[in-house]
Amino acid sequence: MSIKIIAYLVAAALIASASLYLANLYQKAGAFDVLSAEHHTLEVRYGCDKRPAISERKLPACLIARGLDAEKAHREEIERQRNEAARAQAKLDADKLAAERAQQSENAIIKAAPASDDGPVPKVLLDAWTRERGRLGISK
């Protein structure tokens, strides 16, 4: 009779432990479902579900690849801006050089003009006005 009681107690303990184990598994499954939903939400938020490489679809690998892509895009943008600034500076330098050369040629014409050609309006100014009218397409 005592063996039957012990067997019943052991059976009851086994049933109780199995019930607790299953309840714990159900709790963990529910927590996993919540965590999985959050994980999927992050994947969608960061675009990891659309990444082409299967190995990058897992969130940690995707976030690393996404960070590297952003860093590469940032480097390319900086390089583009530097090139654009260099082209703009080269244009400014060329314009400045052209203005300096034009000024030097005007100064050379002024220095080369004889003083006897000056009348009420200096000949140098008349020549400059004539050249400017010709450049603008205005006839005399």
Side-chain angles (χ1 to χ4, degrees):
M1 181 145 192
S2 67
I3 295 182
K4 281 185 175 180
I5 294 175
I6 292 175
Y8 285 136
L9 288 176
V10 168
L14 286 175
I15 291 172
S17 64
S19 298
L20 288 175
Y21 181 74
L22 285 176
N24 190 18
L25 280 180
Y26 283 124
Q27 285 177 347
K28 286 184 179 180
F32 178 78
D33 290 341
V34 169
L35 185 62
S36 178
E38 290 175 6
H39 192 272
H40 181 70
T41 302
L42 286 174
E43 285 178 344
V44 170
R45 179 177 174 193
Y46 290 118
C48 296
D49 58 334
K50 296 179 180 85
R51 292 197 60 91
I54 293 174
S55 63
E56 289 183 5
R57 288 189 186 156
K58 294 182 180 174
L59 187 60
C62 173
L63 292 178
I64 291 170
R66 189 174 171 270
L68 292 174
D69 291 348
E71 185 178 324
K72 179 182 174 190
H74 187 241
R75 277 194 317 267
E76 289 172 354
E77 179 63 20
I78 288 173
E79 185 66 27
R80 186 193 65 77
Q81 288 177 359
R82 283 183 183 159
N83 291 339
E84 185 177 318
R87 282 192 299 274
Q89 186 62 47
K91 184 179 181 316
L92 288 174
D93 291 344
D95 292 346
K96 181 180 176 185
L97 183 61
E100 286 175 357
R101 286 185 181 160
Q103 185 66 41
Q104 288 172 353
S105 68
E106 292 292 327
N107 289 341
I109 292 171
I110 290 171
K111 288 182 182 179
S116 63
D117 286 345
D118 288 346
V121 176
K123 184 170 179 352
V124 173
L125 286 177
L126 291 174
D127 291 342
W129 292 340
T130 304
R131 281 194 308 276
E132 185 64 21
R133 281 193 206 116
R135 187 182 69 78
L136 295 173
I138 302 171
S139 62
K140 294 183 182 182

